[in-house]
Amino acid sequence: MSSHPLSHFTGKDKQLADLTAAAQAILQLDRAFKRLLPGRLGEQCQVACVRGGELVVFAHNSTVAARLRLLGNSVVAPLARQGYPLTSLRVKVLPTPPKPVRQKSFSLSRAGIDAFSRAADEVGNPVVKQALQRLLRHHKP
């Protein structure tokens, strides 16, 4: 891994430099946009891009999208006064993908199952006994 700053690489490639500048501009606009939002609403959305004067914002759910649409011009006008070339706001709901199902990554050997089974029979603490039995139910074939 290189220890050079990003500017070391972007200075050598015009396309990479342009892409980096565009990304930094969007991040700066995102911060300015979120400062205008009430409460913790800014945590639930992000600026996507600007298209022809239209600020496109992704909302994490439809409730957040509705609140942002209600704010409309009250966030676009201050941004325009700050020098951003904006005339309107478009809010899109960005669906969150379902969480992947975790595959079982650990299994006990037959000897391990036998040892836990003996321990469950011999332990006196009912909480530990119950936990060991639950573990065995999960791992027995």
Side-chain angles (χ1 to χ4, degrees):
M1 178 127 295
S2 175
S3 63
H4 296 292
L6 182 62
S7 59
H8 174 78
F9 299 102
T10 59
K12 294 180 179 184
D13 184 346
K14 173 132 174 57
Q15 286 181 320
L16 186 56
D18 292 346
L19 180 62
T20 303
Q24 288 174 343
I26 290 293
L27 288 173
Q28 184 179 6
L29 176 57
D30 186 64
R31 285 190 295 272
F33 174 73
K34 289 177 178 180
R35 279 194 297 269
L36 297 171
L37 299 177
R40 298 178 69 174
L41 188 60
E43 296 172 11
Q44 302 296 316
C45 62
Q46 64 191 52
V47 169
C49 64
V50 176
R51 284 192 196 133
E54 182 177 62
L55 175 63
V56 180
V57 176
F58 288 145
H60 292 187
N61 58 56
S62 58
T63 304
V64 172
R67 288 194 63 199
L68 290 171
R69 287 183 187 113
L70 286 173
L71 292 173
N73 197 41
S74 67
V75 291
V76 171
L79 290 171
R81 285 193 297 273
Q82 292 176 31
Y84 294 101
L86 303 173
T87 56
S88 62
L89 174 69
R90 172 174 288 194
V91 181
K92 295 183 177 185
V93 177
L94 182 66
T96 53
K99 292 182 180 179
V101 177
R102 287 183 20 188
Q103 296 296 321
K104 185 174 163 184
S105 62
F106 176 77
S107 62
L108 292 174
S109 67
R110 184 73 231 162
I113 291 174
D114 292 341
F116 277 116
S117 182
R118 284 191 306 276
D121 291 340
E122 295 173 8
V123 73
N125 185 321
V127 175
V128 175
K129 183 182 214 79
Q130 200 173 40
L132 287 170
Q133 290 169 342
R134 203 170 39 247
L135 174 81
L136 288 167
R137 281 193 303 273
H138 183 70
H139 284 281
K140 282 189 177 176

